[in-house]
Amino acid sequence: MLNKFLTDRLAKILEFMHPWLIKTLGRDRLEYVASNTTNEVTKKLDPFIWTYDCKAKVIAIRQETSDTKTFVLLPNQHFSDPIAGQHIELTAIGPKGDAARCYTLSEITPETVSITVKLNPQGEVSPWLHDQVAVGQVFNISAARGQFVHRDQQQVLFICAGSGITPAFSMINQLLAQPSTDKASEVGLFYRTQSPENTIFSKRLAQLDSLNKQVKVELSYSRLPVDVVTPSFIDQLIAAYPDIKQQHIYLCGPELFRNDVIQYLESINFDMHNLDVEQFTLPELLQDQQSIKKLDEDVTVLLKSQNINFVIPASDCDKTILEAAELQGITMEHGCRSGMCGSCKTNLVSGEVSGQKIGRSIYPCTAYPASNQLVLE
Amino acid sequence: MAKTMDQSAQDEEYEKIHQAFEAIKQKHRDDLGEKDVRYIKKIRRNSRIFEVIGRSLIHILPGPFALIGVPFLFLHRNLEAIEIGHNVLHGQYDSFDEIPQFHAQNFRWKAPVDETSWRQEHNAVHHVHTNVYEKDPDLNHGFLRVNSQVPHTRLHYFQVPIYLFLFYPFMLYNFNAQNLGVVDKFRKKYFPEGNKGYAVLDESLRLSKAEGKKRHKRAVRRIWAKEYVLFPLLALLTGFGAIKVFLANLLADVMNSYWIALTIQATHFTEPLQPEDAIKNKGKWYISQLDSSVNFKGNRWQSILWGHLNYQVEHHLFPDIPAHRYPDMALEVQAVCQQYNLPYKSNDSWRAAIKKFVGAMWTYSFKNPEVKDEASFLDKAALLNKAALLNNEALLNKEATNVK
Ligand code: FES
């Protein structure tokens, strides 16, 4: 009885200390301590810290617009520093079992990350986040991944629509936080939404615009009262950023919107090397069941330890996973390359391989892809 | 014609040897299960019990009596470093979902050694190119010279006392420095011929300078923080002697390093250098592992304290099979060796093994030792070659008589 009371208390105190622990100790040290103190007792006492999973806890929820909320997350020690523009995959503990979705990080601080989620009533994960999740909720997340990140271009223009604002918002904030010497000289943001009420981060965008000389924000609305005559959004874009051809463009939004913009850029002979388009490569695949690979199919591989994903073209699928990865310029840990030393051994999180394996443990140097998607530890 | 026959007969023999060892490996892989999980958990539990007893005694007992706690703390650190750490980092327990704490990726060592660079050096280089000149980093932890090919410097005259009294007490720290490239730099700077004769970290595997430094610091500091700051401080705060705790922990640390040094140094470098291309043929590779490793005898309990590294032969044949299976596997390996006339080397005791390796260190501390380096089994290829030749001749003779 007393015992239970005490452990409950202790668990509460620990829970209270999470942000402090991560801040003062740092994730790296916390990981070492936690890994060396994991046992049956500690695992029960605080499953957030004493775990080998990458987890995050909701520490604040903000309503952005009527159907959009921002969730501020505190990831545990298994999360490593994200780059603005990257996304995480979140595993919801829904009524129909686990479901995973990717969300771009809208804000990054040293200890926390935020995701900004629009409610999609037909969806599986966003209704859960909106209706069920309260502060304190813990779920599994992946490491931050994605190549949609700023790469030191001087003039950048973000063109986004809807919840596509999230990567732009975190990237702009990151750009502004950089030491003034290597700051991008100009940052433009063209943001298309339905109406002022539906504009995510509207106040903070206005602030960004007025407080920073090098930032120019242009909002564009698709659903204004009928009597207001609006030009097409492309016209508005040109008017706001006449030197668009000199900019490096980051494009993010619904597919139709993206296509319109790309079509326009093609029409003005925009150099497509200066265009980055946000695409989640894995999530669509993750939704449907793993299927056995057909002969002519490419294989998507995710290496969790290195946090990279790559595609093995169908023509390379007769090569070992190690070789195929190297052909893509990716190095995986290895030694003998012939299945003897065990250096390459890793665990299969999902997917199938043929060749040398023990249960879920596989030897990439002597194993071959056998499903169209592989996730390796 | 005779030559190609010879060659193909040999290749066939290598293939048979390869299959024979593969069969042992497969048998134990198929048998992996509950037993292994229970084993490693039990070792961890015991290690923790030893830790509690050791640290409490060191904490509470006054002055020199705290020494009573040191052996317990040593047991804890030793089990964590080798029977658990070394084996887990080989991925021996990776295939058991229920024990993520013993997966190579998750495991964090209680030894002052960075896991990632160690895995690189040990699993991917030492275990692949065992006893290969200028390839195997374990042939020359530090500046060691154990064959006459390594250029001699004045430092080598003193290698026996330097290792026994200066390096072995902090051997684990030295490993870490070596894995992270610190030793390469030292040799480059102070040795007339630089790194000639030594295995150098492959440029492509080398971590960036900053990353290496960071990892080095991190690996060492996490141990120091616990052993030399946290526990002494705890003693101080509760009114016990901090210095006493500090010294006792230091002693356990040194014992741990020394123990491991004496264990692993006894298992390879007394044996012949191996041809570099052994890895190209699996049968040859198995033979080169047999030829470059040497066991020493001990009972099951002792073997646990040696992290089963006294079954070095089995460990090198099957680096990622749980080590507690090696005593059983040894019998099967011996049978194969007998069948194919392969070397199976074993010292009668730890003492004999230590004597032998210190002897080798002494021998090669001189510029021109009286002894000649022994050639490897593969280079001699004596038995196989002869057998093949004899077979051929017999065959040819037979044919000749038939024709007659
Ligand atoms: S690289 Fe040696 S087993 Fe795969």
Side-chain angles (χ1 to χ4, degrees):
Chain A
M1 224 3 230
L2 185 69
N3 206 340
K4 172 122 185 26
F5 178 76
L6 281 178
T7 50
D8 278 356
R9 268 293 149 88
L10 201 55
K12 281 259 164 56
I13 295 173
L14 276 167
E15 162 123 37
F16 184 71
M17 280 169 56
H18 287 162
W20 179 84
L21 271 176
I22 285 168
K23 191 168 174 182
T24 46
L25 214 54
R27 292 208 163 84
D28 191 42
R29 281 187 215 124
L30 183 61
E31 197 242 10
Y32 182 69
V33 175
S35 148
N36 272 313
T37 45
T38 305
N39 55 44
E40 294 313 313
V41 181
T42 50
K43 266 195 283 188
K44 281 212 193 74
L45 197 61
D46 190 341
F48 181 71
I49 297 286
W50 281 287
T51 172
Y52 289 96
D53 294 335
C54 183
K55 295 183 175 182
K57 182 161 70 172
V58 178
I59 54 170
I61 302 178
R62 273 197 315 266
Q63 191 85 39
E64 298 288 351
T65 65
S66 61
D67 63 353
T68 306
K69 280 182 179 176
T70 291
F71 299 84
V72 182
L73 311 179
L74 178 77
N76 70 1
Q77 72 273 18
H78 296 293
F79 191 74
S80 47
D81 291 341
I83 308 172
Q86 290 189 312
H87 58 269
I88 55 170
E89 186 187 302
L90 178 160
T91 310
I93 317 149
K96 289 177 249 151
D98 293 356
R101 285 295 177 281
C102 287
Y103 293 104
T104 304
L105 302 174
S106 54
E107 230 176 320
I108 298 168
T109 72
E111 287 86 43
T112 66
V113 294
S114 303
I115 54 172
T116 301
V117 181
K118 189 175 164 173
L119 177 69
N120 168 12
Q122 273 83 53
E124 223 175 312
V125 177
S126 67
W128 177 76
L129 279 169
H130 272 255
D131 305 335
Q132 318 271 320
V133 168
V135 169
Q137 172 81 42
V138 173
F139 38 70
N140 283 10
I141 61 170
S142 72
R145 45 184 186 241
Q147 314 293 319
F148 193 69
V149 296
H150 182 241
R151 295 184 307 275
D152 296 330
Q153 298 91 354
Q154 278 297 300
Q155 299 196 337
V156 279
L157 170 60
F158 297 92
I159 304 180
C160 34
S163 48
I165 183 69
T166 48
F169 190 66
S170 69
M171 279 155 95
I172 293 174
N173 278 315
Q174 182 213 16
L175 285 174
L176 294 176
Q178 273 168 9
S180 56
T181 42
D182 34 75
K183 245 181 206 170
S185 57
E186 264 176 56
V187 183
L189 168 64
F190 180 84
Y191 182 25
R192 175 103 170 143
T193 65
Q194 292 176 343
S195 63
E197 303 82 63
N198 278 321
T199 306
I200 304 171
F201 305 136
S202 54
K203 266 203 215 108
R204 296 168 72 193
L205 287 176
Q207 256 176 19
L208 271 182
D209 191 46
S210 60
L211 291 181
N212 298 284
K213 261 207 282 342
Q214 79 264 47
V215 181
K216 177 172 164 49
V217 178
E218 176 82 8
L219 298 176
S220 160
Y221 303 113
S222 58
R223 284 198 205 146
L224 284 180
V226 266
D227 50 336
V228 185
V229 189
T230 49
S232 90
F233 82 86
I234 294 288
D235 289 341
Q236 192 183 350
L237 177 68
I238 309 165
Y241 306 97
D243 57 346
I244 191 163
K245 276 180 102 168
Q246 274 81 58
Q247 312 267 3
H248 187 99
I249 296 181
Y250 288 90
L251 174 62
C252 187
E255 201 181 339
L256 284 176
F257 172 80
R258 289 200 313 252
N259 290 345
D260 282 352
V261 174
I262 291 175
Q263 219 171 44
Y264 163 69
L265 291 175
E266 274 167 353
S267 75
I268 59 163
N269 281 329
F270 183 81
D271 180 358
M272 289 300 169
H273 291 107
N274 293 333
L275 173 71
D276 274 74
V277 183
E278 168 68 313
Q279 276 158 341
F280 298 122
T281 34
L282 271 181
E284 287 77 16
L285 279 169
L286 274 176
Q287 288 160 26
D288 43 66
Q289 282 304 303
Q290 295 291 334
S291 58
I292 294 301
K293 195 188 101 60
K294 292 177 210 83
L295 257 182
D296 54 344
E297 243 176 341
D298 295 350
V299 176
T300 314
V301 184
L302 170 64
L303 299 179
K304 284 178 82 182
S305 58
Q306 297 188 47
N307 190 25
I308 33 180
N309 49 344
F310 61 95
V311 176
I312 305 179
S315 56
D316 281 348
C317 284
D318 55 343
K319 303 214 164 59
T320 65
I321 297 172
L322 177 66
E323 279 173 336
E326 283 169 349
L327 285 177
Q328 302 301 316
I330 284 152
T331 12
M332 293 173 72
E333 207 174 327
H334 69 270
C336 66
R337 314 183 70 98
S338 52
M340 323 284 274
C341 72
S343 307
C344 63
K345 199 165 169 183
T346 180
N347 281 348
L348 198 59
V349 179
S350 72
E352 278 312 325
V353 303
S354 60
Q356 211 192 170
K357 57 181 175 180
I358 316 174
R360 305 302 285 170
S361 283
I362 66 158
Y363 295 76
C365 70
T366 37
Y368 306 85
S371 60
N372 56 12
Q373 191 204 331
L374 295 176
V375 181
L376 305 183
E377 219 164 52
Chain B
M1 182 63 200
K3 199 161 181 248
T4 50
M5 281 274 290
D6 196 0
Q7 190 62 41
S8 69
Q10 253 187 59
D11 285 349
E12 220 171 87
E13 190 80 354
Y14 287 141
E15 183 52 26
K16 271 195 223 149
I17 290 167
H18 166 219
Q19 292 307 340
F21 287 119
E22 252 354 87
I24 301 176
K25 179 154 86 182
Q26 199 51 47
K27 181 182 150 202
H28 284 270
R29 275 188 183 171
D30 293 342
D31 188 46
L32 289 179
E34 188 49 32
K35 188 167 121 196
D36 304 272
V37 175
R38 233 181 304 129
Y39 175 80
I40 193 71
K41 278 181 151 173
K42 190 178 83 200
I43 296 289
R44 172 49 70 78
R45 191 168 52 243
N46 288 334
S47 142
R48 282 186 165 150
I49 293 171
F50 289 138
E51 179 174 26
V52 171
I53 298 176
R55 292 204 193 277
S56 315
L57 290 177
I58 291 171
H59 191 106
I60 294 163
L61 293 179
F65 293 103
L67 284 175
I68 300 171
V70 172
F72 291 98
L73 186 57
F74 161 74
L75 282 174
H76 158 68
R77 297 219 34 205
N78 183 56
L79 288 176
E80 289 288 339
I82 44 181
E83 182 62 8
I84 300 178
H86 166 262
N87 290 330
V88 162
L89 286 170
H90 264 291
Q92 295 180 354
Y93 297 90
D94 273 9
S95 53
F96 303 108
D97 286 342
E98 62 271 48
I99 42 171
Q101 68 270 37
F102 299 121
H103 287 184
Q105 288 289 352
N106 290 338
F107 183 80
R108 294 294 170 266
W109 232 337
K110 285 176 186 159
V113 183
D114 174 62
E115 296 86 3
T116 314
S117 53
W118 182 85
R119 275 169 59 92
Q120 194 54 259
E121 182 269 344
H122 184 84
N123 295 2
V125 185
H126 165 63
H127 270 270
V128 178
H129 303 292
T130 318
N131 271 18
V132 177
Y133 177 68
E134 286 194 328
K135 279 239 159 171
D136 180 2
D138 280 20
L139 267 180
N140 38 53
H141 280 301
F143 67 91
L144 197 61
R145 179 179 191 256
V146 283
N147 57 65
S148 37
Q149 289 192 54
V150 174
H152 189 271
T153 71
R154 246 177 311 163
L155 201 56
H156 290 119
Y157 286 122
F158 308 102
Q159 68 177 7
V160 173
I162 290 179
Y163 272 82
L164 290 185
F165 300 113
L166 285 173
F167 279 14
Y168 288 171
F170 308 100
M171 196 58 169
L172 293 177
Y173 295 93
N174 295 335
F175 287 160
N176 193 37
Q178 164 140 340
N179 299 344
L180 290 161
V182 180
V183 180
D184 292 355
K185 264 182 257 151
F186 163 82
R187 289 186 300 237
K188 200 160 153 198
K189 204 162 157 198
Y190 295 103
F191 281 15
E193 296 189 63
N195 280 308
K196 183 170 184 294
Y198 294 99
V200 184
L201 228 61
D202 204 49
E203 209 41 66
S204 65
L205 304 178
R206 202 187 277 274
L207 295 162
S208 73
K209 219 172 150 191
E211 180 69 9
K213 256 203 187 132
K214 193 180 116 199
R215 285 180 175 273
H216 184 245
K217 251 202 265 168
R218 183 172 82 159
V220 172
R221 286 201 183 157
R222 64 191 190 188
I223 301 300
W224 287 1
K226 184 175 175 194
E227 302 293 330
Y228 306 126
V229 179
L230 178 71
F231 283 104
L233 209 64
L234 225 63
L236 195 69
L237 292 177
T238 47
F240 293 91
I243 296 174
K244 166 198 73 175
V245 173
F246 182 95
L247 291 176
N249 289 358
L250 180 64
L251 186 58
D253 203 3
V254 167
M255 283 166 71
N256 186 25
S257 268
Y258 219 101
W259 179 277
I260 291 173
L262 292 185
T263 306
I264 53 181
Q265 295 286 69
T267 50
H268 289 298
F269 67 55
T270 52
E271 306 312 312
L273 292 178
Q274 299 299 313
E276 192 179 335
D277 59 357
I279 183 68
K280 299 220 173 91
N281 175 306
K282 292 186 184 182
K284 279 192 184 176
W285 184 80
Y286 274 122
I287 297 173
S288 89
Q289 295 302 324
L290 284 169
D291 194 27
S292 59
S293 310
V294 51
N295 287 356
F296 52 88
K297 293 198 176 116
N299 62 30
R300 289 250 171 182
W301 289 110
Q302 290 168 320
S303 299
I304 293 175
L305 295 183
W306 289 317
H308 285 93
L309 293 168
N310 58 324
Y311 286 96
Q312 193 71 204
V313 172
E314 287 71 23
H315 177 53
H316 266 261
L317 296 174
F318 317 112
D320 68 346
I321 298 285
H324 69 98
R325 291 171 173 269
Y326 293 157
D328 292 338
M329 296 177 98
L331 303 175
E332 298 158 45
V333 171
Q334 281 161 21
V336 173
C337 287
Q338 216 158 43
Q339 188 184 345
Y340 292 94
N341 243 324
L342 300 171
Y344 184 92
K345 302 174 185 177
S346 182
N347 284 306
D348 285 334
S349 67
W350 194 20
R351 231 175 106 176
I354 293 174
K355 232 168 136 185
K356 203 164 142 198
F357 91 74
V358 178
M361 278 165 79
W362 174 255
T363 305
Y364 289 103
S365 60
F366 299 101
K367 194 163 186 179
N368 298 308
E370 312 271 88
V371 295
K372 273 237 303 270
D373 293 359
E374 198 191 331
S376 76
F377 183 86
L378 275 172
D379 278 339
K380 288 188 267 177
L383 291 169
L384 288 177
N385 232 335
K386 226 193 275 160
L389 272 176
L390 284 179
N391 271 342
N392 270 343
E393 263 164 39
L395 232 93
L396 287 175
N397 283 342
K398 220 178 182 181
E399 263 170 42
T401 35
N402 280 350
V403 169
K404 254 186 215 163

